[in-house]
Amino acid sequence: MTAPSESPWLVHGGTAASLDRTTGCPVGRERESDEVHGRLKDPDGPRMVLVRGERGAGRSAFLHAVGERLRAEGTPVLAVGCVPGDDARPLVLALRLVMVLEEHLSGTPQRRAAKPVTEALHAAERRDGTAMAALLRAALARSAPVVVELDDLHLADADSLAVLRGTDFARVPSPVRLLASAVGRGERSAPWRNGHEAAPDARSAVDGKGRTPPHRGAAGGVEQQGDVPWAHTIVLSRLGPDETTAVVARRLRATPDSGLSRRVRELTHGVPGAIDALLTGWTREGAIRVADGHAFIGVRTPTPVLPDGDRFVGALDALSEPCRVVAGALSVLWPLGGRAAELIPAATGLSAETVGDAIRVLIDAQIVDVRPGFDGAAAGGWTFAVALTAHAVRERLGPLERSRLSATAVEAVWADRDAAGIAYEAGPPVVALSDEADAVAYLADRVAEAGHLVDRDRAVRELTAAAQRLHPDSEGRGVLRWCRAVGNLVERPEERVPALQRYAKAAYQAGDYRTARTIAESILRNRADVLGTHALQDTANLCTAATANDSDWRALSRLATAEWWDELRLPGLVPVTGRALALCGLARWQEALDLLARTEEVWATDVRGRVKPDYFRAVAEMVLGRPERFRRALALSEAPNLGAEHVYALATTMFDELLSGRDLHAAEDLLAAQGLTADRLHPHSVFLRRHLQGRWDEALEPARWMLANNRIHTPAADGCLIPARTAEILLARGRTTSARRLLDSVRDRGEDRPEYSLDAVEAEIQRALGDPNGAEKTLRRGLDAADAHGHVAGVDELWAALAEVYAETGHTGEALTCLERLERISDRTGSGRTRLRFLLASARVLRQDSPGAARDGLREAVDLARSRSQPFETAVTLVAAAEAGAGPPTLLHEAYELFGRTGSALARFRTRAAMREAGITVPGRARATAENERLLATLIAEGLTNRRIAMVLRLSEDAVANRLSRLFARTGLRSRTAVVTAVLAGRPDRRLAPEPWSSSSAAPLV
């Protein structure tokens, strides 16, 4: 059996998301659904339940879901809808209601007559509300038990609503219940902070005259329904953060990562209709990628523009021209708070009174909300009820109109700063936003959009300061956009070229390697005369690194030649730096060292210029087995002579290199020494750190994001770290097929670059599946490629695994040879990880012939592993020591808990077996049984046959068959296909609930 082709496997690039529009009770409305259902079923309950909610709250979907629930229970449900234009047709809703009730009379069909319908038609023609009310009361009295849905009651005509309000249900004995919906603000949490609602008279703050426009027409009638004794009102409020995330998960059939969830919340404010509109736009463009059952979106993915005809856009289009003009201005100016109303008249040519009236209409139409002041009391301006609407309105403005409005905002903020004596680099702009970073981004965006309409020099300074202030731009607030704008603003070559260089760096940081590479190469070829030597060196480094990250190996090979650089007129330091980095990127380490040795007098002339070549040399020597220079480089003694940007880049690169060698303590010490915090790390660094810390659920989130967005490269010597260590996690959780598919998806076919970390994990997968011969071939392939490139660092994993494979297959002589190579590497590098792997492999090889030596080595291994503070590594060591008698059996207890902390289901299963064999009680029998079944379900979903499962679990095939039978019996699942479906859907039987260590109950099973 193979895994279904449509399953969201974790592979490089991910798959495009699609929307699931299946019906059911809307997410987050379960409590309201139960309340409505209970009141309608209660014989003494209200005759009418009115469901209110703002535009997009999901009133219709909620009504239909309740109706389907009632129908499923045998309760008749009839639907009477209202449509646009009904308000101009007097008594049309009352007529429809009489007609549908007359079709549902109690008694036999012979007793039914067409006369009441005919009379109702005549009453509607005469606009005779009194007659229609009498006919409605009669129909209600004669009707059989039924629930009537009255959807979109706010579109109904006023006369029909008057008839409904005047019908005294208390005196009309009737089995009819009405379930209605209508637009209405009701009680809802505001989108800004703490859920504070504006003061009742906050709309009057527009002009201070205390004028509050009354509700008009049908909408006003609907608002009064809540005062009718026989009507009960329920308000559908906005969804909270968790409910919003749950809606996204259901729609995408995948768990959204934190970045996607955050953007959805920010753009929709928890309005279900806006959530659907946003997800529809993104999925139509293929912007949402799914990897491993999780959904992701790039930080630079643009917000989709709501199409014409969308409910939120249509509400604005239905208003007068001044309202639309003011809404357009507010879409740009609203973050300025109460000052926006002061600026709009001059920007639009409208009078202040017209602007004030328009804002009140926009509020009444639920397009704009009053924004509380930061003291929680006074009005602090306005914001759009749905941020997605603001984006649509802003994007519909013409380019010149947007530029003029942006210039208005910029001039106002600059005037405030000048009046307060605040320099542009001294602090955040004076903008009425609670988050400083958003305030910086808002002003920078306005400056970029204003372009030449504001002072160019000041604009360039402002944008440059904003880019530096928010670097690195992990939230995607716009550093790349601002740097591009600077490039368009400056004209003098001596300013334009540095601006373009900054733009190229921002593009590289944002993952736009093609743009970074194109700009950098253009500068090197055409404008090298403008930049100094060190700036050109940075540009050459950038060009080479972007080419490597773009996986253009042919171009990188050309950058490694002297001929490519000889075509350019560059100082000698620059070509050496670029060539050396290209050679390192191609894993031609010895060639890089030879080049640097020949040209040392060229690149070692000053502290600033020698930093990069010296670091390349240190890394090359470390890879070749001589780590001394790299360890000295960790002190960053040149830092005082480097700028903060260069120190950050160098320190984070060293950090990755240390994590590549699994030296967590040294990496943490480096961060502390340079004053860097975890929030400033790149996603790949975050993943590598969490992986070693054993925080695997947290580690998988950035890993999935990087894989889905093709961002798997790291600046470390081993460019395969992200997929290799992600596959390690998958394998430890029993996801053998997923791990193998991931490795296959990232391999560089046809390139002779060593991929030893991928080879090591692939061999582990083959060993787990009972294929030692395949593991041997994979390990040998990896060692041959490493030898061809002179690799020493990292290949200890291959030698250790090969020694274990030979020991398991009875080839002791070959195993001892592997140990000799491994010991030489350990002695040569002094790596704690290599020493630990040597001790563990030695114990496996020497277990039969020299058990005493094996136990001594394992005792040392336990101490070493504990000192390294890496949970999974420590747990593996403890199990080896306990099984060999090198420590008390209670070590298995400790290992068991550590495996649980990382979520290593497969290792935990095997440890349970070892504990039972040692006569140790396994804690939590019920939990252990649930974990066993969950692991079995995972292996089935991975497409493994019973024979393969037996190999992985180290059981007999009969034992696997028995466990599978018990799984079916306990869960009610009837086939392997049903198990696969349950696992992939993430909504399995309760007996296969998420593991206790899972970080999210919404996470997929596997």
PDB file of all heavy atoms in Angstrom, residues 144-161:
ATOM      1  N   ALA A 144     -49.159  23.827  10.604  1.00  0.00           N
ATOM      2  CA  ALA A 144     -48.579  22.703  11.322  1.00  0.00           C
ATOM      3  C   ALA A 144     -47.270  23.154  11.957  1.00  0.00           C
ATOM      4  O   ALA A 144     -46.721  24.201  11.602  1.00  0.00           O
ATOM      5  CB  ALA A 144     -48.339  21.542  10.357  1.00  0.00           C
ATOM      6  N   PRO A 145     -46.730  22.387  12.923  1.00  0.00           N
ATOM      7  CA  PRO A 145     -45.446  22.786  13.531  1.00  0.00           C
ATOM      8  C   PRO A 145     -44.355  22.950  12.476  1.00  0.00           C
ATOM      9  O   PRO A 145     -44.161  22.071  11.638  1.00  0.00           O
ATOM     10  CB  PRO A 145     -45.144  21.627  14.481  1.00  0.00           C
ATOM     11  CG  PRO A 145     -46.478  21.035  14.799  1.00  0.00           C
ATOM     12  CD  PRO A 145     -47.279  21.168  13.546  1.00  0.00           C
ATOM     13  N   VAL A 146     -43.674  24.045  12.520  1.00  0.00           N
ATOM     14  CA  VAL A 146     -42.641  24.327  11.527  1.00  0.00           C
ATOM     15  C   VAL A 146     -41.749  25.454  12.028  1.00  0.00           C
ATOM     16  O   VAL A 146     -42.183  26.287  12.838  1.00  0.00           O
ATOM     17  CB  VAL A 146     -43.286  24.727  10.170  1.00  0.00           C
ATOM     18  CG1 VAL A 146     -43.987  26.068  10.285  1.00  0.00           C
ATOM     19  CG2 VAL A 146     -42.232  24.776   9.053  1.00  0.00           C
ATOM     20  N   VAL A 147     -40.512  25.449  11.550  1.00  0.00           N
ATOM     21  CA  VAL A 147     -39.597  26.573  11.770  1.00  0.00           C
ATOM     22  C   VAL A 147     -39.410  27.264  10.425  1.00  0.00           C
ATOM     23  O   VAL A 147     -39.100  26.605   9.422  1.00  0.00           O
ATOM     24  CB  VAL A 147     -38.237  26.104  12.319  1.00  0.00           C
ATOM     25  CG1 VAL A 147     -37.244  27.266  12.363  1.00  0.00           C
ATOM     26  CG2 VAL A 147     -38.398  25.506  13.707  1.00  0.00           C
ATOM     27  N   VAL A 148     -39.612  28.562  10.399  1.00  0.00           N
ATOM     28  CA  VAL A 148     -39.465  29.327   9.169  1.00  0.00           C
ATOM     29  C   VAL A 148     -38.210  30.192   9.252  1.00  0.00           C
ATOM     30  O   VAL A 148     -38.067  30.988  10.189  1.00  0.00           O
ATOM     31  CB  VAL A 148     -40.695  30.216   8.907  1.00  0.00           C
ATOM     32  CG1 VAL A 148     -40.517  30.985   7.599  1.00  0.00           C
ATOM     33  CG2 VAL A 148     -41.957  29.371   8.858  1.00  0.00           C
ATOM     34  N   GLU A 149     -37.321  30.003   8.293  1.00  0.00           N
ATOM     35  CA  GLU A 149     -36.100  30.826   8.215  1.00  0.00           C
ATOM     36  C   GLU A 149     -36.419  32.105   7.454  1.00  0.00           C
ATOM     37  O   GLU A 149     -36.934  32.059   6.328  1.00  0.00           O
ATOM     38  CB  GLU A 149     -34.985  30.079   7.487  1.00  0.00           C
ATOM     39  CG  GLU A 149     -34.401  28.907   8.241  1.00  0.00           C
ATOM     40  CD  GLU A 149     -33.278  28.245   7.441  1.00  0.00           C
ATOM     41  OE1 GLU A 149     -32.850  28.835   6.435  1.00  0.00           O
ATOM     42  OE2 GLU A 149     -32.853  27.149   7.816  1.00  0.00           O
ATOM     43  N   LEU A 150     -36.124  33.229   8.051  1.00  0.00           N
ATOM     44  CA  LEU A 150     -36.268  34.536   7.406  1.00  0.00           C
ATOM     45  C   LEU A 150     -34.883  35.150   7.286  1.00  0.00           C
ATOM     46  O   LEU A 150     -34.412  35.849   8.187  1.00  0.00           O
ATOM     47  CB  LEU A 150     -37.193  35.446   8.227  1.00  0.00           C
ATOM     48  CG  LEU A 150     -38.628  34.957   8.448  1.00  0.00           C
ATOM     49  CD1 LEU A 150     -39.361  35.919   9.370  1.00  0.00           C
ATOM     50  CD2 LEU A 150     -39.358  34.826   7.125  1.00  0.00           C
ATOM     51  N   ASP A 151     -34.210  34.873   6.185  1.00  0.00           N
ATOM     52  CA  ASP A 151     -32.825  35.325   6.028  1.00  0.00           C
ATOM     53  C   ASP A 151     -32.767  36.748   5.477  1.00  0.00           C
ATOM     54  O   ASP A 151     -33.627  37.158   4.681  1.00  0.00           O
ATOM     55  CB  ASP A 151     -32.080  34.372   5.087  1.00  0.00           C
ATOM     56  CG  ASP A 151     -30.578  34.493   5.235  1.00  0.00           C
ATOM     57  OD1 ASP A 151     -30.122  35.163   6.185  1.00  0.00           O
ATOM     58  OD2 ASP A 151     -29.851  33.902   4.411  1.00  0.00           O
ATOM     59  N   ASP A 152     -31.762  37.493   5.909  1.00  0.00           N
ATOM     60  CA  ASP A 152     -31.512  38.857   5.439  1.00  0.00           C
ATOM     61  C   ASP A 152     -32.717  39.768   5.657  1.00  0.00           C
ATOM     62  O   ASP A 152     -33.174  40.483   4.768  1.00  0.00           O
ATOM     63  CB  ASP A 152     -31.117  38.863   3.956  1.00  0.00           C
ATOM     64  CG  ASP A 152     -29.721  38.326   3.741  1.00  0.00           C
ATOM     65  OD1 ASP A 152     -28.932  38.360   4.689  1.00  0.00           O
ATOM     66  OD2 ASP A 152     -29.414  37.872   2.624  1.00  0.00           O
ATOM     67  N   LEU A 153     -33.207  39.755   6.883  1.00  0.00           N
ATOM     68  CA  LEU A 153     -34.386  40.544   7.214  1.00  0.00           C
ATOM     69  C   LEU A 153     -34.144  42.040   7.048  1.00  0.00           C
ATOM     70  O   LEU A 153     -35.093  42.817   6.884  1.00  0.00           O
ATOM     71  CB  LEU A 153     -34.806  40.234   8.658  1.00  0.00           C
ATOM     72  CG  LEU A 153     -36.263  40.469   9.044  1.00  0.00           C
ATOM     73  CD1 LEU A 153     -37.198  39.696   8.140  1.00  0.00           C
ATOM     74  CD2 LEU A 153     -36.495  40.104  10.498  1.00  0.00           C
ATOM     75  N   HIS A 154     -32.907  42.459   7.051  1.00  0.00           N
ATOM     76  CA  HIS A 154     -32.604  43.885   6.884  1.00  0.00           C
ATOM     77  C   HIS A 154     -32.947  44.375   5.475  1.00  0.00           C
ATOM     78  O   HIS A 154     -33.027  45.584   5.239  1.00  0.00           O
ATOM     79  CB  HIS A 154     -31.131  44.155   7.173  1.00  0.00           C
ATOM     80  CG  HIS A 154     -30.200  43.329   6.337  1.00  0.00           C
ATOM     81  ND1 HIS A 154     -29.917  42.022   6.630  1.00  0.00           N
ATOM     82  CD2 HIS A 154     -29.497  43.629   5.219  1.00  0.00           C
ATOM     83  CE1 HIS A 154     -29.073  41.537   5.734  1.00  0.00           C
ATOM     84  NE2 HIS A 154     -28.811  42.488   4.867  1.00  0.00           N
ATOM     85  N   LEU A 155     -33.151  43.433   4.529  1.00  0.00           N
ATOM     86  CA  LEU A 155     -33.532  43.825   3.163  1.00  0.00           C
ATOM     87  C   LEU A 155     -35.042  43.911   2.990  1.00  0.00           C
ATOM     88  O   LEU A 155     -35.526  44.265   1.912  1.00  0.00           O
ATOM     89  CB  LEU A 155     -32.968  42.809   2.152  1.00  0.00           C
ATOM     90  CG  LEU A 155     -31.442  42.662   2.107  1.00  0.00           C
ATOM     91  CD1 LEU A 155     -31.048  41.556   1.136  1.00  0.00           C
ATOM     92  CD2 LEU A 155     -30.785  43.973   1.712  1.00  0.00           C
ATOM     93  N   ALA A 156     -35.802  43.555   4.031  1.00  0.00           N
ATOM     94  CA  ALA A 156     -37.256  43.501   3.922  1.00  0.00           C
ATOM     95  C   ALA A 156     -37.867  44.898   3.855  1.00  0.00           C
ATOM     96  O   ALA A 156     -37.253  45.901   4.247  1.00  0.00           O
ATOM     97  CB  ALA A 156     -37.835  42.734   5.104  1.00  0.00           C
ATOM     98  N   ASP A 157     -39.103  44.956   3.367  1.00  0.00           N
ATOM     99  CA  ASP A 157     -39.826  46.230   3.304  1.00  0.00           C
ATOM    100  C   ASP A 157     -40.330  46.633   4.689  1.00  0.00           C
ATOM    101  O   ASP A 157     -40.614  45.776   5.541  1.00  0.00           O
ATOM    102  CB  ASP A 157     -41.002  46.114   2.332  1.00  0.00           C
ATOM    103  CG  ASP A 157     -42.024  45.084   2.787  1.00  0.00           C
ATOM    104  OD1 ASP A 157     -41.751  43.865   2.614  1.00  0.00           O
ATOM    105  OD2 ASP A 157     -43.065  45.465   3.324  1.00  0.00           O
ATOM    106  N   ALA A 158     -40.442  47.907   4.898  1.00  0.00           N
ATOM    107  CA  ALA A 158     -40.823  48.429   6.213  1.00  0.00           C
ATOM    108  C   ALA A 158     -42.241  48.022   6.605  1.00  0.00           C
ATOM    109  O   ALA A 158     -42.521  47.785   7.790  1.00  0.00           O
ATOM    110  CB  ALA A 158     -40.701  49.953   6.209  1.00  0.00           C
ATOM    111  N   ASP A 159     -43.146  47.904   5.623  1.00  0.00           N
ATOM    112  CA  ASP A 159     -44.522  47.539   5.953  1.00  0.00           C
ATOM    113  C   ASP A 159     -44.597  46.116   6.499  1.00  0.00           C
ATOM    114  O   ASP A 159     -45.331  45.845   7.458  1.00  0.00           O
ATOM    115  CB  ASP A 159     -45.412  47.658   4.711  1.00  0.00           C
ATOM    116  CG  ASP A 159     -45.584  49.106   4.264  1.00  0.00           C
ATOM    117  OD1 ASP A 159     -45.340  50.000   5.106  1.00  0.00           O
ATOM    118  OD2 ASP A 159     -45.930  49.345   3.106  1.00  0.00           O
ATOM    119  N   SER A 160     -43.861  45.209   5.890  1.00  0.00           N
ATOM    120  CA  SER A 160     -43.863  43.829   6.386  1.00  0.00           C
ATOM    121  C   SER A 160     -43.282  43.763   7.791  1.00  0.00           C
ATOM    122  O   SER A 160     -43.778  43.019   8.653  1.00  0.00           O
ATOM    123  CB  SER A 160     -43.067  42.925   5.443  1.00  0.00           C
ATOM    124  OG  SER A 160     -43.718  42.779   4.205  1.00  0.00           O
ATOM    125  N   LEU A 161     -42.223  44.530   8.018  1.00  0.00           N
ATOM    126  CA  LEU A 161     -41.630  44.532   9.350  1.00  0.00           C
ATOM    127  C   LEU A 161     -42.609  45.099  10.384  1.00  0.00           C
ATOM    128  O   LEU A 161     -42.667  44.626  11.526  1.00  0.00           O
ATOM    129  CB  LEU A 161     -40.329  45.344   9.342  1.00  0.00           C
ATOM    130  CG  LEU A 161     -39.175  44.723   8.542  1.00  0.00           C
ATOM    131  CD1 LEU A 161     -37.993  45.676   8.518  1.00  0.00           C
ATOM    132  CD2 LEU A 161     -38.758  43.391   9.141  1.00  0.00           C
TER     133      LEU A 161
END
